[in-house]
Amino acid sequence: MPTDTQSGKPWWRGMAVTGVIFLAVVVLAVVMGLSGGSGGSTSGGTSDDQRQTAPAERNNTGGDTKSTAKKLVSGVPVGYAHSQAGAVQAAVNYQVARSSAAYFTDVGARHATLAAMMTSGALDRQIRNDDSGMEQVLASLGITSANEDGLVARGAAMGTRVTTYTDQVATVEVWMAGLVGVTDESAPMPVSASWTTYTLTLQWQSADWKLASIASVNGPTPLDAGSDDPTSVDEFRTADREFNAPPYAG
């Protein structure tokens, strides 16, 4: 990592700290905001009588390998088992697919990714929402076609929790760690971490689990060098107890 020659600190530590933190908050909030836009009712939903609350026991095995996706469409794993394990794996893989640098910078790749994972009723709405959000992120980061190779954007699942499940609709929470920023000394924001819990509603459509809606909240957030508001010990204890280990990517 480049350093300030006088202080020996990373190059970005010489910037106005308040400004960097503010920009990080704005950018990461926009990234999180990409989850919105496909909410609302979905066809094929369940009534209160039909909805089943999934058991809350922990699963430290990494998930059910039998739920492995069958093929790739536009680089997105699709073709999941018609089961709770299949819904969980679809939720994880779909959110990871929305976290790549190409998803940020390549409109065609973004649209193809969404077409592979969204329900027919939610696709257009999510495209509009994510296109708008990505434009804001790239503008905030100073990303253009000339320097987009310097963008770092990654996401990894820390855990999952199924809140409801039927054979037609599943709601899965995915606790994600994310990175976004630019590897350039002149960039307005260094690579920064985000911690987000996404609530993904999936429908069984066209013989596969597809995304019908996405919502998100901050955290649980660990203590790190750049965090002013880490999640409490009690909240982490609850998260560690209630979120299952991520399934195998498959």
Side-chain angles (χ1 to χ4, degrees), residues 100-108 110 134 138 143-144 148-149 151:
S100 71
Y103 193 86
F104 279 61
T105 60
D106 188 328
V107 174
R110 181 163 63 247
M134 290 303 181
L138 297 180
I143 293 291
T144 66
E148 63 184 26
D149 288 344
L151 175 66

Side-chain angles (χ1 to χ4, degrees), residues 164-177:
T164 63
Y165 177 79
T166 71
D167 62 359
Q168 293 300 310
V169 179
T171 304
V172 182
E173 294 183 359
V174 183
W175 179 22
M176 296 281 292

